[in-house]
């Protein structure tokens, strides 16, 4: 398995949390791989310069569903990734060749096609290295621009647009961080905030349950109490059992010193602020 750091079921977990736990365990037992394709490019003109955007399709294999994610990156993004990875994985990157920039003819069809194939092989090679594919720098390259855009929309009150982007990126983010399910909690909570402000309490509650199941063993996480408080409100609104959630909140309060706790929305709008 790619990951050995998995949660353990315990008696304090609810039935839904246990179900979510075992779903995650089953996913861990499948050999999940990502395939990278770069089928097309487009030339973007910006002020007095222009650059090529490479369309990257990321396909998941080894699961029952055929999920795919589509992102775009430019040459300079790949360059930055390579520099960042070299800082941390100089030995692992020793035999990795990065597509060099040519002085002339950058936008010829031949050069662009050569780079498409080179970047496809480059991503495949990076993903084949366990420590690199788990690294924050590699995961950020594949997800951070989209997450930054989504949170920008959230801060601007464009909740529908934010949800559209988050719904696209969450699947890829989950697949890339299978050994660390807590890392997707901020994204799930951002989706809770969006659905709640769009007056979709049922959908907000659904994503809240997913986030809460990942925090059942991490009650010191900064999102845990704000999420619990939001879930209590949603459960009451939907006529669901909120007493068990209330008990968890009271239990936490008896164990911890009173501290300033942000609301879930306050936490969400602070993510990805430069």
């Amino acid at each position: 398995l790619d990951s050995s750091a998995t949660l353990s079921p315990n008696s304090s977990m609810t039935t839904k949390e246990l179900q979510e736990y075992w779903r995650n365990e089953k996913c861990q037992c499948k050999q999940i791989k990502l395939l990278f394709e770069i089928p097309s490019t487009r030339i973007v003109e910006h002020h007095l310069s222009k650059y090529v955007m490479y369309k990257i399709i990321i396909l998941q294999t080894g699961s029952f569903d055929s999920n795919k994610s589509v992102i775009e990156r430019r040459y300079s993004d790949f360059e930055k990734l390579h520099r960042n990875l070299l800082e941390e994985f100089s030995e692992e990157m020793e035999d990795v060749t990065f597509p060099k920039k040519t002085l002339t003819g950058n936008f010829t069809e031949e050069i662009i096609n050569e780079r498409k194939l080179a970047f496809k092989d480059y991503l495949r090679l990076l993903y084949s290295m366990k420590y690199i594919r788990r690294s924050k720098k590699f995961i950020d390259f594949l997800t951070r621009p989209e997450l930054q855009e989504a949170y920008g929309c959230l801060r601007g009150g464009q909740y529908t647009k934010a949800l559209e982007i988050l719904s696209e990126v969450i699947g890829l983010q989950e697949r890339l961080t299978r050994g660390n399910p807590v890392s997707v909690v901020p994204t799930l909570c951002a989706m809770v905030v969006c659905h709640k402000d769009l007056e979709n309490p049922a959908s907000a509650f659904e994503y809240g349950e997913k986030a809460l199941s990942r925090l059942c063993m991490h009650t010191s996480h900064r999102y845990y109490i704000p999420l619990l408080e939001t879930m209590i409100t949603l459960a009451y609104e939907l006529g669901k059992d909120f007493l068990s959630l209330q008990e968890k909140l009271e239990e936490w309060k008896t164990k911890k010193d009173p501290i300033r706790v942000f609301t879930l929305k306050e936490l969400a709008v602070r993510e990805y602020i430069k």
Side-chain angles (χ1 to χ4, degrees), residues 34-52:
L34 297 182
L35 301 177
F36 299 90
E37 297 289 343
I38 304 181
S40 62
T41 61
R42 63 186 178 95
I43 296 176
V44 177
E45 295 190 16
H46 183 66
H47 298 309
L48 298 177
S49 64
K50 61 180 182 178
Y51 53 86
V52 180

Side-chain angles (χ1 to χ4, degrees), residues 22-23 27 54 59 74 98 102 113 127 147 169 216 266:
W22 287 118
R23 273 196 295 270
C27 287
Y54 296 86
L59 300 164
R74 54 190 291 187
F98 185 78
T102 56
N113 285 333
Y127 184 74
L147 287 170
V169 78
C216 59
E266 286 172 338

Side-chain angles (χ1 to χ4, degrees), residues 14-171:
T14 65
T15 301
K16 288 185 177 179
E17 286 171 346
L18 279 168
Q19 289 172 345
E20 183 70 21
Y21 167 82
W22 287 118
R23 273 196 295 270
N24 291 336
E25 282 296 294
K26 287 176 182 177
C27 287
Q28 292 283 352
C29 293
K30 300 169 190 168
Q31 188 176 9
I32 304 297
K33 292 184 179 180
L34 297 182
L35 301 177
F36 299 90
E37 297 289 343
I38 304 181
S40 62
T41 61
R42 63 186 178 95
I43 296 176
V44 177
E45 295 190 16
H46 183 66
H47 298 309
L48 298 177
S49 64
K50 61 180 182 178
Y51 53 86
V52 180
M53 293 293 290
Y54 296 86
K55 180 181 179 181
I56 306 168
I57 297 179
I58 306 166
L59 300 164
Q60 176 184 351
T61 66
S63 67
F64 295 114
D65 52 355
S66 54
N67 291 323
K68 71 176 182 178
S69 301
V70 181
I71 60 176
E72 279 191 319
R73 298 293 182 265
R74 54 190 291 187
Y75 184 92
S76 60
D77 296 325
F78 281 97
E79 263 187 329
K80 183 179 178 182
L81 169 67
H82 194 72
R83 285 196 306 271
N84 289 340
L85 290 176
L86 279 174
E87 291 175 1
E88 190 175 350
F89 305 104
S90 56
E91 291 185 13
E92 290 87 346
M93 299 281 289
E94 201 171 43
D95 298 324
V96 178
T97 303
F98 185 78
K100 298 295 182 184
K101 212 169 195 176
T102 56
L103 295 176
T104 58
N106 274 334
F107 300 103
T108 65
E109 186 176 350
E110 183 182 2
I111 292 293
I112 290 174
N113 285 333
E114 284 179 4
R115 286 224 184 116
K116 279 165 52 178
L117 293 173
F119 281 138
K120 173 186 172 181
D121 290 339
Y122 177 73
L123 289 173
R124 177 190 55 77
L125 184 57
L126 292 182
Y127 184 74
S128 70
M129 301 180 199
K130 180 173 65 175
Y131 294 108
I132 290 180
R133 71 168 169 263
R134 289 181 182 178
S135 71
K136 185 177 184 300
K137 292 174 181 178
F138 183 68
I139 294 170
D140 278 353
F141 170 78
L142 296 174
T143 60
R144 189 177 180 87
E146 286 71 26
L147 287 170
Q148 285 178 323
E149 182 184 359
Y151 278 96
C153 292
L154 189 156
R155 285 189 287 274
Q158 301 176 48
Y159 302 118
T160 301
K161 179 63 176 175
L163 268 177
E164 181 183 326
I165 301 169
L166 291 170
S167 298
E168 284 285 325
V169 78
I170 185 68

